[in-house]
Amino acid sequence: MTTERIQGLVKWYDRARGEGFVMRHEGPDVHVPGDALADPEPGYLLEGQAVEFEILAIPGGFRARDLRVVEPDPERLSGRRPTR
């Protein structure tokens, strides 16, 4: 069984709190708890980075898991940009 991978952009990620949100190209934002990062090193995400992840429906919204950075350099991204 394969799980669909979703793509999006990091809206924000707070390293101290160990959580943040990503924007999907379609649909509501997805919560990213610290344990959702496939590679916890360096342990943070940068606003605007392109990411790929699996999604879980939870009461009150969605949660990411197995999140991986697709585009490590946010300066090279184009298209929809997150806002604070």
Side-chain angles (χ1 to χ4, degrees), residues 15-51:
R15 184 178 183 183
R17 290 174 47 187
E19 68 176 338
F21 280 87
V22 294
M23 298 182 302
R24 295 189 279 173
H25 297 293
E26 294 182 16
D29 294 347
V30 178
H31 180 243
V32 180
D35 66 355
L37 304 177
D39 180 8
E41 191 64 38
Y44 64 92
L45 299 171
L46 299 175
E47 183 177 313
Q49 280 182 310
V51 292

Side-chain angles (χ1 to χ4, degrees), residues 4-24:
E4 180 183 3
R5 305 284 296 169
I6 306 292
Q7 294 186 347
L9 297 176
V10 175
K11 187 172 186 176
W12 63 268
Y13 189 79
D14 185 322
R15 184 178 183 183
R17 290 174 47 187
E19 68 176 338
F21 280 87
V22 294
M23 298 182 302
R24 295 189 279 173

